[in-house]
Amino acid sequence: MKIAIAGGTGFVGNELSAFLADNGNEVLILTRSKKESDKSGVRFVEWMTDGAAPEKELEGIDAFINLAGKSINDRWTEENKKEIVESRIKTTREVYRIIDSLQKKPEVHVNASAVGIYGTSETETFTEESTPGASDFLSETVMKWEQEAAEIGKLGVRTVFVRFGIILGDKGALPAIILPYKLFAGGTVGSGTQWMSWVHIHDVVRLIHFVMKDSTIEGPVNAVSPNPMQMKEFGKTAAKVMNRPHWIPAPGFALKLALGERSILVLEGQRVIPKAAAENGFTFTFPLLEDALSDLLKSR
């Protein structure tokens, strides 16, 4: 397959492009800077710069995957929040423009999303059938993002929204989560009862490939393990895998002072189940947290 990826140089994009290329696909990564790829099967295509016309090189693509957008891991100042939203809207509109200009439309468009769209709760369980709840900045942002991406479906292209949970890998949230344990200072974060819907990066990549290939799947698909955990148990499991104590709590008020509004990412959460993935026959390589952490931390 010939596959275009926007956001292909980020955490998920790097893993995904390597996986797709290793499986015999031609991967075109959209980038704002001209560069040469050192990996067989991967080529960079300039976009969103003056004079760039990526559609000329994307004619004949079978799939378009959009992972592009400003990181949510910076402090949520009003300026950063504006950039987080606008970066997603702007890149998605450019994806629409490119696909609309192609003589032959791709068979599928996969757009990154997030389980944050459901809002937060300690008591509810969310599936793809749950109604999104615009109760905070993150849920509002994801709703706007999906609404924009849904316009591409009107071009006759099957569109899938892969809603990421907390992705565990060499980058992303895991290094920050395990740092206190490496320093023998790990413990319960906040109340410890908040849910953490997590997923191994390997399963994220496999799920994107799965929904891309299965022509019957469209709409939202939760990219989370079938076994979410409450934060206290997550911490205890990390401590067990790392052979470290779990004893020094991180109080919620301290995290709010340190992280500001972004503290919602660790102090509140949601229990999300991957119903669509299960119903369509996808199986997780790492459904259990202890196995996922053992795999990711074995070289640390």
Side-chain angles (χ1 to χ4, degrees):
M1 297 179 71
K2 185 176 180 180
I3 304 164
I5 305 179
T9 58
F11 171 36
V12 175
N14 272 320
E15 297 285 340
L16 178 62
S17 60
F19 176 88
L20 293 174
D22 288 343
N23 280 274
N25 299 287
E26 179 184 357
V27 180
L28 305 177
I29 296 178
L30 301 178
T31 177
R32 285 182 170 85
S33 58
K34 293 182 179 179
K35 60 179 76 175
E36 296 293 328
S37 172
D38 57 2
K39 183 169 181 59
S40 176
V42 176
R43 182 159 54 89
F44 290 99
V45 176
E46 191 174 1
W47 84 322
M48 298 190 74
T49 59
D50 291 341
E55 57 270 26
K56 294 179 180 178
E57 297 188 61
L58 300 189
E59 192 65 59
I61 59 170
D62 300 293
F64 202 128
I65 301 170
N66 182 17
L67 307 171
K70 178 179 172 60
S71 172
I72 64 170
N73 291 324
D74 296 324
R75 192 175 182 88
W76 290 356
T77 62
E78 289 305 310
E79 181 179 355
N80 274 338
K81 288 199 293 185
K82 182 179 179 182
E83 290 179 5
I84 287 170
V85 175
E86 290 184 348
S87 67
R88 284 159 174 76
I89 300 302
K90 185 176 181 180
T91 54
T92 303
R93 287 179 178 172
E94 177 64 2
V95 172
Y96 179 100
R97 187 197 68 78
I98 291 171
I99 292 178
D100 188 38
S101 71
L102 297 177
Q103 184 174 354
K104 176 184 175 296
K105 305 290 187 285
E107 297 173 8
V108 61
H109 159 235
V110 180
N111 199 85
S113 184
V115 299
I117 195 170
Y118 302 116
T120 61
S121 175
E122 288 190 6
T123 58
E124 291 187 65
T125 296
F126 301 99
T127 71
E128 292 86 353
E129 297 170 357
S130 301
T131 302
S135 58
D136 54 62
F137 169 67
L138 186 56
S139 58
E140 290 175 356
T141 298
V142 180
M143 285 180 68
K144 291 176 182 176
W145 196 10
E146 286 196 6
Q147 288 168 0
E148 197 67 43
E151 293 296 309
I152 295 172
K154 297 177 182 179
L155 297 175
V157 179
R158 177 170 64 92
T159 295
V160 184
F161 310 109
V162 179
R163 293 174 175 171
F164 298 150
I166 301 297
I167 301 174
L168 305 181
D170 290 339
K171 297 180 181 179
L174 186 60
I177 292 173
I178 66 171
L179 179 59
Y181 293 97
K182 293 176 73 172
L183 300 175
F184 291 86
T188 299
V189 176
S191 68
T193 59
Q194 68 273 38
W195 286 95
M196 186 171 182
S197 296
W198 62 274
V199 63
H200 192 297
I201 180 63
H202 178 68
D203 282 327
V204 170
V205 167
R206 289 180 56 248
L207 183 56
I208 292 174
H209 184 242
F210 183 84
V211 303
M212 186 182 71
K213 300 266 292 183
D214 190 330
S215 62
T216 67
I217 300 175
E218 59 183 323
V221 175
N222 293 332
V224 291
S225 158
N227 297 291
M229 297 190 76
Q230 289 179 297
M231 186 64 81
K232 185 175 183 179
E233 295 307 313
F234 187 99
K236 287 181 177 180
T237 303
K240 177 183 177 182
V241 171
M242 298 180 69
N243 194 28
R244 296 289 195 274
H246 174 86
W247 63 298
I248 301 179
F253 73 87
L255 287 171
K256 287 182 180 179
L257 286 174
L259 300 177
E261 187 179 354
R262 187 165 62 93
S263 63
I264 191 175
L265 297 176
V266 291
L267 295 179
E268 300 182 38
Q270 59 279 111
R271 186 175 188 270
V272 182
I273 302 298
K275 184 177 180 180
E279 289 181 344
N280 285 282
F282 180 79
T283 57
F284 288 81
T285 303
F286 299 100
L288 301 177
L289 180 64
E290 186 170 344
D291 292 340
L293 292 179
S294 295
D295 177 73
L296 291 166
L297 302 178
K298 61 188 175 185
S299 61
R300 292 177 181 267

